Amino acid sequence: MRSFINVEDIGPLEKALAEAQEIKNDRFKYQHLGKNKTLMMIFFNNSLRTRLSTQKAAMNLGMNVIVLDVNAGAWKLETERGVIMDGDKSEHLLEAIPVMGCYCDLIGVRSFAGLTDREYDYAETVLNQFIKYSGKPVFAMETATVHPLQAFADLITIKEYFKPQTSNLKPKVVLTWAPHCRALPQAVPNSFAQWMNAADVDFVITHPEGYELDPKFVGNARVEYDQKKAFEGADFIYAKNWSNPGVTNPADYGKITSKDMSWTVDTEHMSWTNNGKFMHCLPVRRGLIVTDDVIESPNSIVIPEAANREISCSVVIKRMLEAL
């Protein structure tokens, strides 16, 4: 596996899930794969779970790890071609990337959407430059449009917590929009939708009108604008805010066009479900996305979900090391 960006990169999901369970049972089983190998983690944006879980996964696999915070301790990087570099950016990404590649065996990149230019963001301009110019395998630690390590961990968590019943052999999973005070990217909901479409689940997306995700991520999911109807009988509720994707109105891209607090997930919302589990990628704004009583309830699985980030990343890095 030379790159990990989308669900198809991981191959058959059942095989990947079985591998995740194997690694969870023995996290140090494949230490030999990473001996004398180096992972470089490059952060253009802040991180807690991604930074810690990815570094831990690499160390479990015997790797050395270099962490570079581009905005704290490195030269400011220019990403555009054809510019006159007479401002505060001292180095171009096209020189920096191959230099980074000289010092490592694998590269993880985290670079968020700018939320001003949809075409630029959805072209994955920064990530694709690393893939093209580094000469090393590259995986996404959240990009402008996707967060596959999170979505893989989400799927692992759903598999662990779903208890099939005679009348319900596959889980009903609902991705619900919720209000937020800041404009957030669509990367997490995009990847979650992509992975749920590939999995054996009954998948529903619910959000206010005008917040439609890009069709390539929505896929065959059922879109329901009535949140209560969407929640009915759900086994898992995945709450997440995203700014306007600009699908129905490109001028709205990256903007907050709704702050409807009736979409905040509270105990009444969860009462509509089939004793559903509450999920969120974290960090979460309490009182906006979810109320205290829901996220602190026994049905909240946000911490096990976060813990599985180490497992999803371990599978991905293992696969990439095996391909070296």
Side-chain angles (χ1 to χ4, degrees):
M1 187 164 65
R2 286 289 299 181
S3 62
F4 176 71
I5 304 167
N6 298 306
V7 65
E8 56 264 25
D9 296 327
I10 203 70
L13 286 182
E14 285 305 316
K15 183 177 180 181
L17 288 166
E19 200 166 334
Q21 186 58 56
E22 178 191 23
I23 287 174
K24 200 163 190 176
N25 292 338
D26 184 357
R27 298 169 196 238
F28 307 103
K29 182 177 181 179
Y30 295 100
Q31 274 194 331
H32 61 282
L33 291 175
K35 185 178 181 181
N36 298 328
K37 299 290 194 303
T38 299
L39 167 66
M40 181 173 287
M41 299 164 58
I42 300 162
F43 291 89
F44 288 85
N45 301 93
N46 294 337
S47 173
L48 190 152
R49 277 147 297 277
T50 297
R51 180 189 297 259
L52 297 179
S53 62
T54 306
Q55 188 165 355
K56 181 67 164 61
M59 292 167 65
N60 290 352
L61 290 162
M63 298 191 77
N64 303 310
V65 181
I66 298 172
V67 179
L68 176 64
D69 285 297
V70 171
N71 297 317
W75 299 113
K76 288 189 177 181
L77 295 176
E78 178 59 65
T79 60
E80 298 289 340
R81 287 179 172 274
V83 298
I84 297 173
M85 292 176 57
D86 59 355
D88 64 344
K89 296 178 180 178
S90 306
E91 185 163 9
H92 202 287
L93 203 60
L94 295 183
E95 283 79 63
I97 289 173
V99 168
M100 295 175 195
C102 294
Y103 306 139
C104 63
D105 301 281
L106 303 179
I107 295 177
V109 179
R110 184 175 179 92
S111 179
F112 292 173
L115 296 179
T116 57
D117 184 337
R118 189 181 195 280
E119 184 177 351
Y120 181 88
D121 287 345
Y122 273 72
E124 291 290 3
T125 306
V126 173
L127 178 69
N128 283 325
Q129 288 185 56
F130 275 93
I131 292 172
K132 185 174 182 179
Y133 297 113
S134 70
K136 297 297 163 66
V138 175
F139 63 91
M141 299 191 302
E142 187 170 359
T143 71
T145 66
V146 293
H147 197 352
L149 290 172
Q150 179 65 54
F152 186 14
D154 297 333
L155 181 58
I156 293 169
T157 307
I158 289 170
K159 181 176 176 61
E160 288 177 342
Y161 279 86
F162 179 60
K163 307 300 180 186
Q165 301 169 0
T166 305
S167 60
N168 187 18
L169 296 178
K170 63 180 180 180
K172 179 179 179 180
V173 180
V174 177
L175 169 63
T176 181
W177 178 93
H180 203 280
C181 56
R182 296 179 57 205
L184 299 183
Q186 298 101 45
V188 169
N190 281 347
S191 276
F192 187 75
Q194 187 182 56
W195 284 69
M196 290 303 107
N197 276 315
D200 186 23
V201 304
D202 176 13
F203 182 48
V204 180
I205 304 174
T206 185
H207 54 72
E209 291 192 36
Y211 269 81
E212 292 78 10
L213 296 169
D214 191 293
K216 72 179 181 180
F217 296 111
V218 174
N220 296 322
R222 177 163 63 90
V223 176
E224 175 56 67
Y225 296 106
D226 184 329
Q227 192 185 30
K228 182 175 183 179
K229 187 175 180 181
F231 274 46
E232 289 174 354
D235 298 291
F236 297 90
I237 298 296
Y238 197 103
K240 184 69 180 78
N241 173 267
W242 59 90
S243 61
N244 197 303
V247 172
T248 56
N249 185 0
D252 285 337
Y253 175 65
K255 295 180 180 178
I256 298 174
T257 52
S258 176
K259 292 185 178 181
D260 187 348
M261 293 292 289
S262 71
W263 285 76
T264 300
V265 179
D266 59 17
T267 52
E268 181 183 358
H269 285 73
M270 296 303 293
S271 73
W272 304 334
T273 71
N274 180 32
N275 195 31
K277 304 294 186 184
F278 177 81
M279 302 178 70
H280 189 279
C281 61
L282 303 181
V284 65
R285 299 266 186 156
R286 292 185 179 214
L288 289 175
I289 302 291
V290 61
T291 56
D292 289 347
D293 49 356
V294 170
I295 198 168
E296 294 176 13
S297 77
N299 277 18
S300 172
I301 54 174
V302 297
I303 303 304
E305 181 185 358
N308 277 329
R309 290 292 308 278
E310 177 187 343
I311 306 304
S312 65
C313 194
S314 295
V315 174
V316 170
I317 295 176
K318 172 184 174 289
R319 296 272 188 96
M320 299 186 104
L321 287 171
E322 288 173 334
L324 289 179

